Amino acid sequence: MKTKPRRALVPNRLWQYRQRMGFSQRQVAAILGYLSRHHVSEYEGGQKRPTLVTALKFEIVYRVPVAFLYPELY
């Protein structure tokens, strides 16, 4: 039985900027249009890389450039 190779985590600072703004994951999920906080949790944990549109939404919500949210990818 083959196992899937583990994907590398996507380093980011989403958690820090969310905390700085005083939002919960649930609040950010609602702002982004998600029904639960699951997606926000995956983005913050680096398990999932956001689309460009989602990254730009994070930029608007956290009021910082995407380059600040994902400095290692910049």
Side-chain angles (χ1 to χ4, degrees), residues 9-60:
L9 295 179
V10 182
N12 65 74
R13 295 186 179 151
L14 294 172
W15 178 84
Q16 290 92 330
Y17 283 102
R18 178 175 58 78
Q19 292 293 308
R20 191 160 120 185
M21 294 298 291
F23 292 133
S24 69
Q25 283 185 342
R26 199 172 309 277
Q27 289 171 315
V28 172
I31 292 168
L32 297 180
Y34 296 120
L35 297 177
S36 74
R37 64 178 191 83
H38 178 74
H39 292 289
V40 175
S41 177
E42 287 183 324
Y43 293 133
E44 286 184 5
Q47 294 92 10
K48 193 173 178 182
R49 184 178 299 197
T51 64
L52 176 60
V53 171
T54 301
L56 293 172
K57 287 179 181 181
F58 278 126
E59 179 178 274
I60 292 166

